[in-house]
Amino acid sequence: MAHSDSALYVQSLAGIPEVTTETDLPKVIAEALERYAIKVQFGDVLVVAQKIISKREGRVIRLVEITPSAKAQELALGLEKDPRLVELVLSESTEIIRAAPGNFICRTHHGFVCANAGIDASNVGGASNTVILLPQDPDASARKLRADLKQRFDVDAAIVISDSFGRPWRLGQVEVALGCAGIVAASDWRGLTDADDRPLVATISAHGDALASVTELVRSKNSHRPVTFIRGGGFEVTVQDGPGATSLIRPLEQDLFRRK
Amino acid sequence: MAHSDSALYVQSLAGIPEVTTETDLPKVIAEALERYAIKVQFGDVLVVAQKIISKREGRVIRLVEITPSAKAQELALGLEKDPRLVELVLSESTEIIRAAPGNFICRTHHGFVCANAGIDASNVGGASNTVILLPQDPDASARKLRADLKQRFDVDAAIVISDSFGRPWRLGQVEVALGCAGIVAASDWRGLTDADDRPLVATISAHGDALASVTELVRSKNSHRPVTFIRGGGFEVTVQDGPGATSLIRPLEQDLFRRK
């Protein structure tokens, strides 16, 4: 399993236990890699599901602790949603993009445009009645995990933190990169030329998102495989952590789909 | 290299010659697989770049043959684009979504929302002065290639035809599936339940798009590797060709971002 630009090997890891604020995440990941006899080397990538990062960082909220504002209560009526969830979504957002039943799309503090500000409410109404917020700074989370894995376990991997987002014109969700450390998430080919020596236009490759989306192919929604190992490929891994997945966020002034 | 739901092996293929309307595409693909000693088995996927499908289908247009309409000429002024290219984009589209310099986003006859109606104009102004349109029916192209590969070369692969699209709120492009045959492009998990027996919501996995986006990781923009082989993974490959990548197009009535 040598590194090749034109080949990629992907393995999702079983056996990661349920994560809480007490979990030693670098340790359980290092142990999972060991069970697969994977000796990580520079150039390898680990894609980690946002959910376990958020759980480790205590971003789990019990709805019973939330008192919805008047604005959240009013909005919740129209959206047919729990007003406490709406309150949380508003507190995580800088802008409501669309609000209709089944479609509550916001821009988060990070700049992500996604449903429910990325809050996972699949357990709302269940025994636990909790929701999970996105990490406060996913790039920082990725950098921390990378450093810990390297220092404590000699696991020298680039890190991608992923979550599934919908798309406005396509059905289904794809995983995208919320946080990165050590990979060039947005690989810029502008300035290079094509076969006829004409400049290449509009050719930034979203490698961070491509790495995230691979994970959809090696785990199913009700399996528990929140960590995926990737080796090979022609994307760029760096010694420095780099600008992270923030480089994949389209600046607000370039957004053509804001309501004026 | 056995099939596993939790592992994926990806290899982009070198040595595919320049494609024209005369090219025997199934033959050059079968020969490329042979050079890599890949014996395709049911469950494997081949992702093929739209560009070579279009070239094989004669969707290459010389701009000198196009006479722009008055509407195209007027629009071209504002867009700072070649009026003949604008004419072609209009003829390939059912709706202009956004029109501004650097941003000419249309809905194609197929239903895809993308820049320039998917027309590749990277060679405009070069010696050849040609542009490449999307295939007229990419799902049909995928079905035909699948059938030909199986009947003539005993290569039993599911087919994804891919192209790179931009995204409204994220920088960079990702490859998406324009056409599919033999894979469930939109895998529907709705109706299933989560760990707390609550119904899973909004969980259609865009496996067709995930398969397409992997290819970005194993080829660079100026390498010539238009075909990628994929083995393994937990997505669903079917004996029937199925509904194709059309199942990934969000129906018009669900589009929240149309200008009213």
Side-chain angles (χ1 to χ4, degrees):
Chain A
M1 199 169 65
H3 189 103
S4 158
D5 281 3
S6 64
L8 197 73
Y9 172 76
V10 184
Q11 174 72 57
S12 66
L13 307 181
I16 307 275
E18 191 64 33
V19 171
T20 70
T21 51
E22 308 298 315
T23 303
D24 186 340
L25 205 51
K27 183 158 181 273
V28 299
I29 292 174
E31 286 171 353
L33 288 164
E34 214 174 289
R35 282 195 298 278
Y36 282 83
I38 293 171
K39 176 79 191 95
V40 171
Q41 57 201 41
F42 181 78
D44 295 342
V45 179
L46 292 170
V47 184
V48 182
Q50 158 269 322
K51 214 168 181 172
I52 66 170
I53 300 287
S54 289
K55 284 179 174 175
R56 173 63 185 81
E57 295 178 355
R59 300 280 284 163
V60 179
I61 307 279
R62 294 174 61 219
L63 283 183
V64 72
E65 290 165 11
I66 303 297
T67 309
S69 64
K71 185 186 176 189
Q73 291 192 30
E74 195 192 322
L75 199 51
L77 270 178
L79 293 170
E80 299 162 20
K81 278 190 187 288
D82 188 315
R84 299 168 301 176
L85 173 62
V86 173
E87 176 66 33
L88 280 171
V89 171
L90 291 178
S91 73
E92 291 289 303
S93 301
T94 56
E95 186 183 358
I96 299 174
I97 307 285
R98 291 291 184 276
N103 286 295
F104 189 25
I105 303 167
C106 297
R107 187 184 312 271
T108 70
H109 288 294
H110 326 80
F112 303 130
V113 175
C114 55
N116 299 319
I119 297 176
D120 186 333
S122 57
N123 281 326
V124 172
S128 52
N129 228 353
T130 57
V131 298
I132 304 172
L133 314 189
L134 295 185
Q136 257 159 338
D137 182 347
D139 281 330
S141 307
R143 289 193 296 268
K144 184 175 187 318
L145 181 58
R146 188 186 192 206
D148 285 352
L149 277 168
K150 180 143 192 242
Q151 282 157 26
R152 292 178 52 205
F153 301 99
D154 196 27
V155 169
D156 189 4
I159 302 290
V160 174
I161 296 173
S162 76
D163 193 15
S164 52
F165 279 16
R167 292 90 49 88
W169 299 296
R170 295 181 69 76
L171 287 177
Q173 298 192 302
V174 290
E175 295 277 325
V176 300
L178 299 190
C180 292
I183 82 138
V184 179
S187 179
D188 198 339
W189 291 83
R190 291 172 303 181
L192 300 182
T193 53
D194 68 14
D196 283 345
D197 265 344
R198 301 277 309 169
L200 282 169
V201 279
T203 43
I204 298 175
S205 274
H207 283 160
D209 289 336
L211 286 161
S213 56
V214 176
T215 65
E216 279 281 296
L217 301 171
V218 288
R219 57 182 162 89
S220 54
K221 281 287 176 206
N222 43 15
S223 80
H224 184 68
R225 289 175 175 264
V227 180
T228 299
F229 168 80
I230 300 178
R231 172 167 293 173
F235 52 89
E236 201 182 345
V237 173
T238 56
V239 175
Q240 299 297 317
D241 287 327
T246 304
S247 58
L248 287 167
I249 297 175
R250 187 181 289 275
L252 209 52
E253 63 274 16
Q254 291 177 26
D255 183 348
L256 304 175
F257 296 93
R258 298 190 79 185
R259 277 207 173 121
K260 307 295 178 196
Chain B
M1 199 170 63
H3 189 103
S4 156
D5 281 2
S6 63
L8 196 74
Y9 172 76
V10 184
Q11 173 72 57
S12 66
L13 307 180
I16 307 276
E18 190 62 34
V19 171
T20 70
T21 52
E22 309 298 313
T23 304
D24 186 341
L25 205 51
K27 184 158 179 275
V28 300
I29 292 173
E31 286 171 353
L33 289 163
E34 214 173 289
R35 282 196 299 278
Y36 283 82
I38 294 171
K39 176 78 191 96
V40 171
Q41 58 202 40
F42 181 78
D44 295 342
V45 179
L46 292 170
V47 184
V48 182
Q50 160 268 323
K51 214 167 183 174
I52 67 169
I53 300 287
S54 288
K55 284 179 173 176
R56 173 63 186 82
E57 294 178 356
R59 299 279 284 164
V60 180
I61 307 280
R62 295 175 59 220
L63 283 182
V64 71
E65 290 166 9
I66 303 298
T67 310
S69 64
K71 185 187 177 189
Q73 293 192 28
E74 194 192 322
L75 201 48
L77 269 178
L79 293 170
E80 298 161 20
K81 277 189 187 288
D82 189 314
R84 300 167 301 176
L85 173 62
V86 173
E87 176 65 34
L88 280 171
V89 170
L90 292 177
S91 73
E92 291 288 303
S93 301
T94 56
E95 186 183 359
I96 299 174
I97 307 284
R98 291 291 184 275
N103 285 295
F104 189 24
I105 302 166
C106 297
R107 188 184 309 273
T108 70
H109 288 294
H110 325 84
F112 304 129
V113 174
C114 55
N116 299 319
I119 296 176
D120 186 332
S122 55
N123 281 325
V124 171
S128 51
N129 228 353
T130 57
V131 299
I132 304 172
L133 315 188
L134 295 184
Q136 258 159 338
D137 182 347
D139 280 330
S141 307
R143 289 192 296 269
K144 184 174 186 318
L145 181 58
R146 187 186 193 205
D148 286 352
L149 277 168
K150 179 143 194 239
Q151 281 156 27
R152 293 177 51 207
F153 300 98
D154 196 29
V155 169
D156 190 3
I159 302 290
V160 175
I161 295 172
S162 76
D163 193 13
S164 52
F165 278 17
R167 292 89 50 87
W169 299 295
R170 293 180 72 74
L171 286 178
Q173 298 193 302
V174 291
E175 295 276 324
V176 301
L178 299 190
C180 291
I183 82 137
V184 179
S187 181
D188 198 339
W189 291 84
R190 290 172 304 179
L192 300 182
T193 53
D194 68 15
D196 282 345
D197 265 343
R198 303 275 311 169
L200 282 171
V201 278
T203 42
I204 299 177
S205 274
H207 283 160
D209 288 335
L211 285 161
S213 56
V214 177
T215 65
E216 281 282 298
L217 301 171
V218 288
R219 57 182 163 86
S220 53
K221 281 288 175 206
N222 44 13
S223 78
H224 184 68
R225 291 176 174 263
V227 180
T228 299
F229 168 81
I230 300 177
R231 173 167 293 172
F235 52 88
E236 201 182 344
V237 173
T238 56
V239 175
Q240 299 297 316
D241 287 326
T246 304
S247 58
L248 287 167
I249 297 175
R250 187 179 288 273
L252 209 52
E253 64 273 16
Q254 291 177 24
D255 184 347
L256 305 175
F257 296 92
R258 298 190 80 186
R259 278 210 172 115
K260 306 296 176 195

